[in-house]
Coordinates of all heavy atoms in Angstrom, one line a residue:
M838 N 3.1 40.3 -66.2 CA 2.4 41.1 -65.3 C 3.4 42.3 -64.9 O 4.6 42.2 -65.0 CB 2.1 40.4 -64.0 CG 1.0 39.4 -64.2 SD 0.6 38.6 -62.6 CE 1.1 37.0 -62.9
I839 N 2.7 43.4 -64.5 CA 3.5 44.6 -64.1 C 3.4 44.7 -62.6 O 2.4 44.5 -62.0 CB 2.9 45.9 -64.8 CG1 2.8 45.7 -66.3 CG2 3.7 47.1 -64.3 CD1 4.1 45.7 -67.0
Y840 N 4.6 45.0 -62.0 CA 4.7 45.1 -60.6 C 5.3 46.5 -60.2 O 6.2 47.0 -60.9 CB 5.6 44.0 -60.0 CG 5.0 42.7 -60.1 CD1 5.2 41.9 -61.2 CD2 4.2 42.1 -59.1 CE1 4.6 40.6 -61.3 CE2 3.6 40.9 -59.2 CZ 3.9 40.1 -60.3 OH 3.3 38.9 -60.4
K841 N 4.7 47.1 -59.2 CA 5.3 48.3 -58.7 C 6.2 48.0 -57.5 O 5.7 47.3 -56.5 CB 4.1 49.3 -58.3 CG 4.6 50.7 -57.9 CD 3.4 51.6 -57.7 CE 3.9 53.0 -57.5 NZ 2.7 53.9 -57.4
V842 N 7.4 48.5 -57.5 CA 8.4 48.2 -56.5 C 8.6 49.5 -55.7 O 8.9 50.5 -56.3 CB 9.7 47.7 -57.1 CG1 10.7 47.5 -56.0 CG2 9.5 46.5 -57.9
Y843 N 8.4 49.4 -54.4 CA 8.7 50.6 -53.5 C 10.1 50.3 -52.9 O 10.3 49.2 -52.4 CB 7.7 50.7 -52.4 CG 6.3 51.0 -52.9 CD1 5.4 50.0 -53.2 CD2 5.9 52.4 -53.2 CE1 4.1 50.3 -53.7 CE2 4.7 52.7 -53.6 CZ 3.8 51.7 -53.9 OH 2.5 52.0 -54.4
Y844 N 11.0 51.3 -53.0 CA 12.3 51.0 -52.5 C 13.0 52.3 -51.9 O 12.5 53.4 -52.2 CB 13.2 50.5 -53.6 CG 13.5 51.5 -54.7 CD1 14.6 52.2 -54.8 CD2 12.5 51.7 -55.7 CE1 14.9 53.1 -55.8 CE2 12.8 52.6 -56.7 CZ 13.9 53.3 -56.8 OH 14.2 54.2 -57.8
Q845 N 14.0 52.1 -51.2 CA 14.9 53.1 -50.7 C 16.2 53.1 -51.4 O 16.7 52.0 -51.7 CB 15.2 53.0 -49.2 CG 14.0 53.0 -48.3 CD 13.5 54.4 -48.0 OE1 14.3 55.3 -47.9 NE2 12.2 54.6 -47.9
V846 N 16.8 54.2 -51.8 CA 18.0 54.2 -52.6 C 19.1 53.6 -51.9 O 19.9 52.8 -52.6 CB 18.3 55.7 -53.0 CG1 19.6 55.7 -53.8 CG2 17.2 56.3 -53.9
S847 N 19.3 53.8 -50.7 CA 20.4 53.2 -49.9 C 20.0 52.1 -49.0 O 19.1 52.2 -48.2 CB 21.1 54.3 -49.1 OG 22.1 53.8 -48.3
A848 N 20.7 51.0 -49.2 CA 20.4 49.8 -48.4 C 21.0 49.9 -47.0 O 20.7 49.1 -46.1 CB 20.9 48.5 -49.1
I849 N 22.0 50.8 -46.8 CA 22.7 50.9 -45.5 C 22.1 51.9 -44.6 O 22.5 52.0 -43.4 CB 24.2 51.1 -45.7 CG1 24.5 52.4 -46.5 CG2 24.8 49.9 -46.5 CD1 25.9 52.8 -46.6
E850 N 21.3 52.8 -45.1 CA 20.7 53.8 -44.2 C 19.3 53.4 -43.7 O 18.7 52.5 -44.3 CB 20.5 55.1 -45.0 CG 21.8 55.8 -45.4 CD 21.5 57.1 -46.2 OE1 20.4 57.5 -46.3 OE2 22.5 57.6 -46.8
V851 N 18.9 54.0 -42.6 CA 17.6 53.7 -42.0 C 16.5 54.2 -43.0 O 16.6 55.3 -43.5 CB 17.5 54.4 -40.7 CG1 16.1 54.2 -40.1 CG2 18.5 53.9 -39.7
P852 N 15.5 53.3 -43.3 CA 14.5 53.7 -44.2 C 13.6 54.9 -43.7 O 13.3 54.9 -42.5 CB 13.6 52.5 -44.4 CG 14.5 51.4 -44.0 CD 15.4 51.9 -43.0
I853 N 13.4 55.9 -44.5 CA 12.5 57.0 -44.2 C 11.4 57.1 -45.2 O 11.7 57.2 -46.4 CB 13.4 58.3 -44.1 CG1 14.5 58.2 -43.1 CG2 12.5 59.5 -43.9 CD1 15.5 59.4 -43.2
R854 N 10.2 57.1 -44.7 CA 9.0 57.0 -45.6 C 9.1 58.1 -46.7 O 8.8 57.9 -47.9 CB 7.7 57.1 -44.8 CG 6.5 57.2 -45.6 CD 6.2 56.0 -46.4 NE 6.3 54.7 -45.7 CZ 6.5 53.5 -46.3 NH1 6.6 53.4 -47.6 NH2 6.7 52.5 -45.6
E855 N 9.5 59.3 -46.4 CA 9.5 60.4 -47.3 C 10.6 60.2 -48.4 O 10.5 60.8 -49.5 CB 9.8 61.7 -46.6 CG 8.7 62.2 -45.8 CD 8.7 61.5 -44.4 OE1 9.6 60.7 -44.0 OE2 7.7 61.8 -43.6
N856 N 11.5 59.3 -48.2 CA 12.5 59.0 -49.2 C 12.2 57.8 -50.1 O 13.0 57.4 -50.9 CB 13.9 58.8 -48.6 CG 14.4 60.0 -47.9 OD1 14.0 61.1 -48.3 ND2 15.3 59.9 -47.0
T857 N 11.0 57.2 -49.9 CA 10.6 56.0 -50.7 C 10.4 56.4 -52.1 O 9.7 57.4 -52.4 CB 9.4 55.4 -50.1 OG1 9.6 54.9 -48.8 CG2 8.9 54.2 -50.9
K858 N 10.9 55.6 -53.0 CA 10.8 55.8 -54.5 C 10.0 54.6 -55.0 O 9.9 53.6 -54.3 CB 12.1 56.0 -55.1 CG 13.0 57.1 -54.5 CD 13.8 57.8 -55.5 CE 14.7 58.9 -54.9 NZ 14.0 59.9 -54.4
S859 N 9.6 54.7 -56.3 CA 9.0 53.5 -56.9 C 9.4 53.4 -58.3 O 9.8 54.3 -59.0 CB 7.4 53.7 -56.8 OG 7.0 54.8 -57.5
M860 N 9.2 52.1 -58.8 CA 9.5 51.8 -60.2 C 8.6 50.7 -60.6 O 8.0 50.0 -59.8 CB 11.0 51.4 -60.4 CG 11.3 50.1 -59.8 SD 13.0 49.6 -60.2 CE 13.8 50.1 -58.7
F861 N 8.4 50.5 -61.9 CA 7.6 49.5 -62.5 C 8.5 48.4 -63.2 O 9.4 48.8 -63.9 CB 6.6 50.0 -63.4 CG 5.6 50.9 -62.7 CD1 5.8 52.3 -62.7 CD2 4.4 50.4 -62.2 CE1 4.9 53.1 -62.1 CE2 3.5 51.3 -61.5 CZ 3.8 52.6 -61.5
I862 N 8.2 47.2 -62.9 CA 9.0 46.1 -63.5 C 8.1 45.0 -64.0 O 7.1 44.7 -63.3 CB 10.0 45.5 -62.5 CG1 11.0 46.6 -62.1 CG2 10.7 44.3 -63.1 CD1 12.0 46.1 -61.1
E863 N 8.4 44.4 -65.1 CA 7.6 43.3 -65.7 C 8.2 42.0 -65.1 O 9.4 41.8 -65.1 CB 7.6 43.3 -67.2 CG 6.7 42.4 -67.8 CD 6.5 42.6 -69.3 OE1 7.0 43.6 -69.8 OE2 5.9 41.7 -69.9
G864 N 7.3 41.1 -64.7 CA 7.8 39.8 -64.2 C 6.7 38.8 -64.1 O 5.5 39.2 -64.4
T865 N 7.0 37.6 -63.8 CA 6.0 36.6 -63.7 C 5.4 36.4 -62.3 O 4.3 35.9 -62.2 CB 6.5 35.2 -64.2 OG1 7.7 34.9 -63.3 CG2 7.0 35.3 -65.6
S866 N 6.1 36.9 -61.3 CA 5.6 36.8 -59.9 C 6.4 37.8 -59.1 O 7.4 38.3 -59.5 CB 5.8 35.4 -59.4 OG 7.2 35.1 -59.3
V867 N 6.0 37.9 -57.8 CA 6.7 38.8 -56.9 C 8.1 38.2 -56.7 O 9.1 39.0 -56.7 CB 6.0 38.9 -55.5 CG1 6.8 39.6 -54.5 CG2 4.6 39.6 -55.7
R868 N 8.2 36.9 -56.6 CA 9.5 36.3 -56.4 C 10.4 36.6 -57.6 O 11.6 36.8 -57.4 CB 9.3 34.8 -56.2 CG 10.6 34.1 -55.8 CD 10.3 32.6 -55.6 NE 11.5 32.0 -55.1 CZ 11.6 30.9 -54.5 NH1 10.5 30.2 -54.2 NH2 12.7 30.4 -54.1
D869 N 9.9 36.5 -58.8 CA 10.7 36.7 -60.0 C 11.2 38.2 -60.0 O 12.4 38.4 -60.3 CB 9.8 36.5 -61.2 CG 10.5 36.8 -62.5 OD1 11.7 36.4 -62.7 OD2 9.9 37.5 -63.4
V870 N 10.4 39.1 -59.6 CA 10.8 40.5 -59.6 C 11.9 40.7 -58.5 O 12.9 41.4 -58.7 CB 9.6 41.5 -59.3 CG1 10.1 42.9 -59.0 CG2 8.6 41.4 -60.4
R871 N 11.7 40.1 -57.3 CA 12.7 40.2 -56.3 C 14.1 39.6 -56.7 O 15.1 40.1 -56.4 CB 12.3 39.6 -55.0 CG 11.2 40.4 -54.3 CD 10.9 39.9 -52.9 NE 10.0 40.8 -52.2 CZ 10.3 41.8 -51.5 NH1 11.6 42.2 -51.4 NH2 9.4 42.5 -50.9
E872 N 14.0 38.5 -57.5 CA 15.2 37.9 -58.0 C 15.9 38.8 -59.0 O 17.1 38.9 -59.0 CB 14.9 36.5 -58.7 CG 14.6 35.4 -57.8 CD 15.9 35.0 -57.0 OE1 17.0 34.9 -57.6 OE2 15.7 34.7 -55.8
K873 N 15.1 39.5 -59.8 CA 15.7 40.4 -60.8 C 16.4 41.6 -60.1 O 17.3 42.2 -60.6 CB 14.6 40.9 -61.7 CG 14.1 39.9 -62.7 CD 13.0 40.4 -63.6 CE 12.5 39.4 -64.6 NZ 11.5 39.9 -65.4
L874 N 15.9 42.0 -58.9 CA 16.4 43.1 -58.2 C 17.5 42.7 -57.2 O 18.1 43.6 -56.6 CB 15.3 43.8 -57.4 CG 14.2 44.4 -58.3 CD1 13.0 44.9 -57.4 CD2 14.8 45.6 -59.1
K875 N 17.8 41.5 -57.0 CA 18.7 41.0 -56.0 C 20.1 41.6 -56.2 O 20.7 42.0 -55.2 CB 18.9 39.5 -56.2 CG 19.6 38.9 -55.0 CD 20.0 37.4 -55.2 CE 19.0 36.4 -55.2 NZ 19.5 35.0 -55.2
S876 N 20.6 41.9 -57.4 CA 21.9 42.4 -57.6 C 22.0 44.0 -57.4 O 23.1 44.5 -57.4 CB 22.4 42.1 -58.9 OG 21.6 42.7 -59.9
K877 N 20.8 44.6 -57.2 CA 20.8 46.1 -57.1 C 21.2 46.4 -55.7 O 20.9 45.7 -54.7 CB 19.4 46.6 -57.4 CG 19.0 46.3 -58.8 CD 19.9 46.8 -59.9 CE 19.3 46.5 -61.3 NZ 20.3 46.6 -62.3
S878 N 21.7 47.6 -55.5 CA 22.2 48.1 -54.2 C 21.2 48.9 -53.4 O 21.6 49.8 -52.6 CB 23.5 48.8 -54.3 OG 23.3 50.0 -55.1
F879 N 19.9 48.7 -53.6 CA 18.9 49.4 -52.8 C 18.1 48.5 -52.0 O 18.1 47.3 -52.2 CB 18.1 50.4 -53.7 CG 17.5 49.7 -54.9 CD1 16.4 48.9 -54.9 CD2 18.1 50.0 -56.2 CE1 15.9 48.3 -56.0 CE2 17.5 49.5 -57.3 CZ 16.5 48.6 -57.3
N880 N 17.3 49.1 -51.1 CA 16.5 48.4 -50.1 C 15.1 48.3 -50.7 O 14.4 49.3 -50.7 CB 16.5 49.1 -48.8 CG 15.7 48.4 -47.7 OD1 15.4 47.2 -47.9 ND2 15.4 49.1 -46.7
V881 N 14.6 47.1 -51.1 CA 13.3 46.9 -51.6 C 12.3 46.8 -50.4 O 12.5 45.9 -49.5 CB 13.2 45.6 -52.4 CG1 11.7 45.4 -52.8 CG2 14.1 45.7 -53.6
E882 N 11.3 47.7 -50.3 CA 10.4 47.7 -49.2 C 9.2 46.7 -49.5 O 8.8 45.9 -48.7 CB 9.8 49.1 -49.0 CG 10.8 50.0 -48.4 CD 10.2 51.4 -48.1 OE1 9.0 51.5 -48.1 OE2 11.0 52.3 -47.9
S883 N 8.7 46.9 -50.7 CA 7.6 46.0 -51.1 C 7.4 45.9 -52.6 O 7.9 46.8 -53.3 CB 6.2 46.4 -50.5 OG 5.8 47.6 -51.0
V884 N 6.8 44.8 -53.1 CA 6.5 44.6 -54.5 C 5.0 44.3 -54.6 O 4.5 43.4 -53.9 CB 7.3 43.4 -55.0 CG1 7.0 43.2 -56.5 CG2 8.8 43.6 -54.8
V885 N 4.3 45.1 -55.4 CA 2.8 45.0 -55.5 C 2.5 44.8 -57.0 O 2.9 45.5 -57.9 CB 2.2 46.2 -55.0 CG1 0.7 46.2 -55.1 CG2 2.6 46.5 -53.6
E886 N 1.6 43.8 -57.3 CA 1.1 43.6 -58.6 C 0.2 44.7 -59.0 O -0.7 45.2 -58.2 CB 0.4 42.3 -58.7 CG -0.1 42.0 -60.2 CD -0.9 40.7 -60.3 OE1 -0.8 39.9 -59.4 OE2 -1.6 40.6 -61.3
V887 N 0.3 45.3 -60.2 CA -0.5 46.4 -60.6 C -1.3 45.9 -61.9 O -0.7 45.5 -62.8 CB 0.4 47.6 -61.0 CG1 -0.5 48.8 -61.5 CG2 1.3 48.0 -59.9
S888 N -2.6 46.0 -61.8 CA -3.5 45.6 -62.9 C -4.8 46.3 -62.9 O -5.1 47.0 -61.9 CB -3.7 44.0 -62.8 OG -4.4 43.7 -61.6
G889 N -5.6 46.1 -63.9 CA -6.9 46.7 -64.0 C -6.9 48.3 -64.0 O -6.0 48.9 -64.6
A890 N -7.8 48.8 -63.2 CA -8.0 50.2 -63.1 C -6.7 50.9 -62.5 O -6.4 52.0 -62.9 CB -9.2 50.6 -62.3
Y891 N -6.1 50.2 -61.6 CA -4.9 50.7 -60.9 C -3.8 50.9 -61.9 O -3.1 52.0 -61.9 CB -4.5 49.8 -59.8 CG -3.3 50.2 -58.9 CD1 -3.0 51.6 -58.8 CD2 -2.5 49.3 -58.3 CE1 -1.9 52.0 -58.0 CE2 -1.4 49.7 -57.5 CZ -1.2 51.0 -57.4 OH -0.1 51.4 -56.6
L892 N -3.6 50.0 -62.8 CA -2.6 50.0 -63.9 C -2.9 51.2 -64.8 O -2.0 52.0 -65.2 CB -2.5 48.7 -64.6 CG -1.4 48.7 -65.8 CD1 -0.1 49.1 -65.3 CD2 -1.5 47.4 -66.4
E893 N -4.2 51.3 -65.2 CA -4.6 52.4 -66.1 C -4.3 53.7 -65.5 O -3.9 54.7 -66.1 CB -6.0 52.2 -66.5 CG -6.3 51.0 -67.3 CD -5.4 50.9 -68.6 OE1 -5.3 51.9 -69.3 OE2 -4.9 49.8 -68.8
Y894 N -4.6 53.9 -64.2 CA -4.3 55.1 -63.5 C -2.8 55.4 -63.5 O -2.4 56.5 -63.7 CB -4.8 55.0 -62.0 CG -4.5 56.2 -61.2 CD1 -5.1 57.4 -61.3 CD2 -3.4 56.1 -60.3 CE1 -4.8 58.5 -60.5 CE2 -3.1 57.2 -59.5 CZ -3.7 58.4 -59.6 OH -3.4 59.4 -58.9
E895 N -2.0 54.4 -63.2 CA -0.5 54.6 -63.1 C 0.0 55.0 -64.5 O 0.9 55.8 -64.6 CB 0.2 53.4 -62.6 CG -0.1 53.1 -61.2 CD 0.6 54.0 -60.2 OE1 1.3 55.0 -60.7 OE2 0.4 53.9 -59.0
K896 N -0.6 54.5 -65.6 CA -0.1 54.8 -66.9 C -0.4 56.3 -67.3 O 0.3 56.8 -68.1 CB -0.8 53.9 -68.0 CG -0.4 52.5 -68.0 CD -1.1 51.7 -69.1 CE -0.6 50.3 -69.1 NZ -1.3 49.5 -70.2
L897 N -1.3 56.9 -66.6 CA -1.5 58.4 -66.8 C -0.4 59.2 -66.3 O -0.3 60.4 -66.7 CB -2.9 58.8 -66.2 CG -4.1 58.1 -66.8 CD1 -5.3 58.5 -66.0 CD2 -4.3 58.4 -68.3
N898 N 0.4 58.7 -65.3 CA 1.5 59.5 -64.7 C 2.6 59.6 -65.8 O 3.0 58.7 -66.4 CB 2.0 58.7 -63.5 CG 3.0 59.5 -62.7 OD1 3.6 60.4 -63.2 ND2 3.2 59.0 -61.5
E899 N 3.1 60.8 -65.9 CA 4.2 61.1 -66.9 C 5.5 60.3 -66.6 O 6.3 60.1 -67.5 CB 4.4 62.6 -67.0 CG 5.0 63.2 -65.7 CD 5.1 64.7 -65.8 OE1 4.2 65.3 -66.5 OE2 6.1 65.2 -65.3
D900 N 5.6 59.9 -65.3 CA 6.8 59.1 -64.9 C 6.7 57.6 -65.1 O 7.6 56.9 -64.8 CB 7.2 59.4 -63.5 CG 7.6 60.9 -63.3 OD1 8.1 61.5 -64.2 OD2 7.3 61.4 -62.1
Y901 N 5.6 57.2 -65.6 CA 5.3 55.7 -65.8 C 6.3 55.2 -66.9 O 6.3 55.7 -68.0 CB 3.9 55.5 -66.2 CG 3.6 54.0 -66.4 CD1 3.4 53.1 -65.4 CD2 3.6 53.5 -67.7 CE1 3.1 51.8 -65.6 CE2 3.3 52.2 -68.0 CZ 3.1 51.3 -66.9 OH 2.9 50.0 -67.2
K902 N 7.0 54.2 -66.5 CA 8.0 53.6 -67.4 C 8.3 52.2 -66.8 O 8.6 52.0 -65.6 CB 9.2 54.4 -67.5 CG 10.3 53.9 -68.4 CD 11.4 54.8 -68.5 CE 12.7 54.2 -69.0 NZ 13.8 55.1 -69.0
V903 N 8.1 51.1 -67.6 CA 8.3 49.8 -67.2 C 9.8 49.4 -67.5 O 10.2 49.5 -68.6 CB 7.4 48.8 -67.9 CG1 7.7 47.3 -67.4 CG2 6.0 49.1 -67.6
L904 N 10.6 49.1 -66.5 CA 12.0 48.7 -66.6 C 12.0 47.2 -67.1 O 11.3 46.4 -66.6 CB 12.7 48.9 -65.3 CG 12.8 50.3 -64.8 CD1 13.5 50.3 -63.5 CD2 13.5 51.2 -65.8
E905 N 13.0 47.0 -68.0 CA 13.2 45.6 -68.4 C 14.5 45.1 -67.8 O 15.6 45.6 -68.2 CB 13.3 45.6 -70.0 CG 12.1 46.2 -70.6 CD 11.3 45.2 -71.5 OE1 11.9 44.1 -71.7 OE2 10.3 45.6 -72.0
L906 N 14.4 44.2 -66.9 CA 15.6 43.6 -66.2 C 15.6 42.1 -66.6 O 14.6 41.4 -66.7 CB 15.5 43.7 -64.7 CG 15.4 45.1 -64.2 CD1 15.2 45.1 -62.7 CD2 16.6 45.9 -64.5
G907 N 16.9 41.7 -66.8 CA 17.0 40.3 -67.3 C 17.3 39.3 -66.2 O 17.1 39.3 -65.1

């Protein structure tokens, strides 16, 4: 499954909505994705499963790229 992760680049700064970034990660569950991101130094705001029409819409974005994390 593909998940969209909303995050802030810095984990030590106060989150500001305008600075929220997103990325796509493949995983088996939200927990799996969070485990894969545990070692990263950013603040994960939320993880959302992307499928169906929503996934097709996201694929149209030129920035769409699924990251492969081990």
Side-chain angles (χ1 to χ4, degrees):
M838 290 184 248
I839 306 294
Y840 292 88
K841 186 171 187 177
V842 178
Y843 295 94
Y844 67 98
Q845 298 281 324
V846 176
S847 176
I849 60 173
E850 293 180 8
V851 176
I853 300 171
R854 177 61 49 201
E855 290 81 5
N856 294 339
T857 299
K858 305 215 181 296
S859 64
M860 71 173 96
F861 295 92
I862 297 179
E863 190 168 350
T865 57
S866 66
V867 171
R868 185 176 188 163
D869 178 47
V870 171
R871 287 190 176 272
E872 284 292 320
K873 290 178 179 181
L874 295 172
K875 192 193 286 189
S876 65
K877 305 296 181 199
S878 63
F879 47 77
N880 181 19
V881 176
E882 290 182 16
S883 66
V884 179
V885 180
E886 182 181 346
V887 181
S888 62
Y891 184 29
L892 179 58
E893 295 307 315
Y894 173 78
E895 291 290 357
K896 286 181 178 180
L897 296 175
N898 187 343
E899 64 186 38
D900 295 331
Y901 176 79
K902 182 175 159 183
V903 177
L904 299 178
E905 305 239 353
L906 300 175

